[in-house]
Amino acid sequence: GESVGLHLPTLSVQEGDNSIINCAYSNSASDYFIWYKQESGKGPQFIIDIRSNMDKRQGQRVTVLLNKTVKHLSLQIAATQPGDSAVYFCALSNDYKLSFGAGTTVTVRA
Amino acid sequence: NAGVTQTPKFRILKIGQSMTLQCTQDMNHNYMYWYRQDPGMGLKLIYYSVGAGITDKGEVPNGYNVSRSTTEDFPLRLELAAPSQTSVYFCASSLSGGHGDTQYFGPGTRLTVL
């Protein structure tokens, strides 16, 4: 099956700084990638996605970068806020089935 | 729209008991999914459905059953609960299975089997 891994299980960030969350994958055939945010006690919430024919996509305060050469995906959060504290998952889509990484817990320090 | 709703929120079962986790969506989505999330891990797909009357196994289907008699409902059945099924269960739905079609998740059911 698909293998999806994250580089760091936890990330502590000062409020106002930028956050970078990384994800590595093994299946070079993957062509659609998604980042989810999961707050405590809630289900995952879609943040942003990117297709394999792109290397960068921007949303509101978030940017996803895709490097297919090294099979690496990252999520950048600009000006991190306390509400950004959550677990972040990258997921790969194989047909319509998602394979999730283990998640990075982001803690924002005031 | 309520989105994806799940009941119950919490449940404790004894080994060997059975139960059904309920999932309902009001977005008229064709695709529905059940995932489990173990502590510190990502979500793993248990079963999915591409429409009423059609279900298929995901990555970890053993010990579970599903049915999809209507577009809205996708219950997950545990017949003989085992401690290994202690987990948080999430139901999700999407309009279609195409890329770019977001999966929307319910709030989850936390199940403990003792």
Side-chain angles (χ1 to χ4, degrees):
Chain A
E2 178 62 65
S3 174
V4 184
L6 281 160
H7 293 275
L8 287 175
T10 61
L11 178 66
S12 180
V13 181
Q14 184 69 38
E15 182 178 356
D17 287 352
N18 295 337
S19 303
I20 299 177
I21 306 164
N22 296 302
C23 181
Y25 62 95
S26 61
N27 188 349
S28 58
S30 298
D31 60 357
Y32 178 58
F33 307 86
I34 313 106
W35 281 99
Y36 281 90
K37 173 185 180 183
Q38 186 178 25
E39 296 175 274
S40 180
K42 297 183 179 180
Q45 179 182 12
F46 172 89
I47 302 173
I48 191 168
D49 59 0
I50 188 167
R51 298 181 189 276
S52 61
N53 62 353
M54 304 171 68
D55 54 19
K56 181 179 179 179
R57 191 170 187 212
Q58 289 184 291
Q60 186 176 12
R61 282 201 308 118
V62 294
T63 301
V64 55
L65 300 177
L66 175 63
N67 185 329
K68 295 180 291 295
T69 302
V70 296
K71 299 178 191 174
H72 182 268
L73 186 70
S74 69
L75 177 71
Q76 300 178 2
I77 305 173
T80 310
Q81 302 171 357
D84 295 326
S85 292
V87 181
Y88 290 82
F89 294 96
C90 63
L92 280 61
S93 178
N94 180 12
D95 290 330
Y96 36 80
K97 290 169 279 187
L98 297 179
S99 296
F100 283 81
T104 292
T105 300
V106 173
T107 302
V108 181
R109 306 188 306 271
Chain B
N1 284 353
V4 180
T5 57
Q6 293 182 238
T7 57
K9 291 190 186 303
F10 305 94
R11 184 71 185 269
I12 298 174
L13 284 181
K14 294 182 179 178
I15 295 172
Q17 286 185 319
S18 62
M19 77 164 293
T20 299
L21 283 67
Q22 301 292 345
C23 175
T24 300
Q25 54 91 10
D26 63 358
M27 298 175 283
N28 203 30
H29 284 175
N30 293 312
Y31 287 63
M32 295 187 74
Y33 314 82
W34 273 105
Y35 295 88
R36 61 176 286 172
Q37 184 178 31
D38 298 328
M41 303 295 289
L43 282 71
K44 292 188 183 297
L45 183 65
I46 305 172
Y47 269 95
Y48 64 96
S49 168
V50 301
I54 307 170
T55 63
D56 209 345
K57 296 178 181 179
E59 185 181 356
V60 289
N62 291 346
Y64 307 94
N65 277 301
V66 293
S67 60
R68 185 95 182 271
S69 57
T70 67
T71 300
E72 296 78 19
D73 301 305
F74 190 41
L76 178 72
R77 178 84 178 163
L78 283 72
E79 291 293 349
L80 290 171
S84 61
Q85 294 178 303
T86 294
S87 190
V88 181
Y89 292 84
F90 290 99
C91 179
S93 71
S94 63
L95 181 59
S96 71
H99 286 174
D101 195 24
T102 303
Q103 289 190 22
Y104 295 88
F105 286 82
T109 293
R110 185 175 295 274
L111 176 66
T112 302
V113 182
L114 300 174

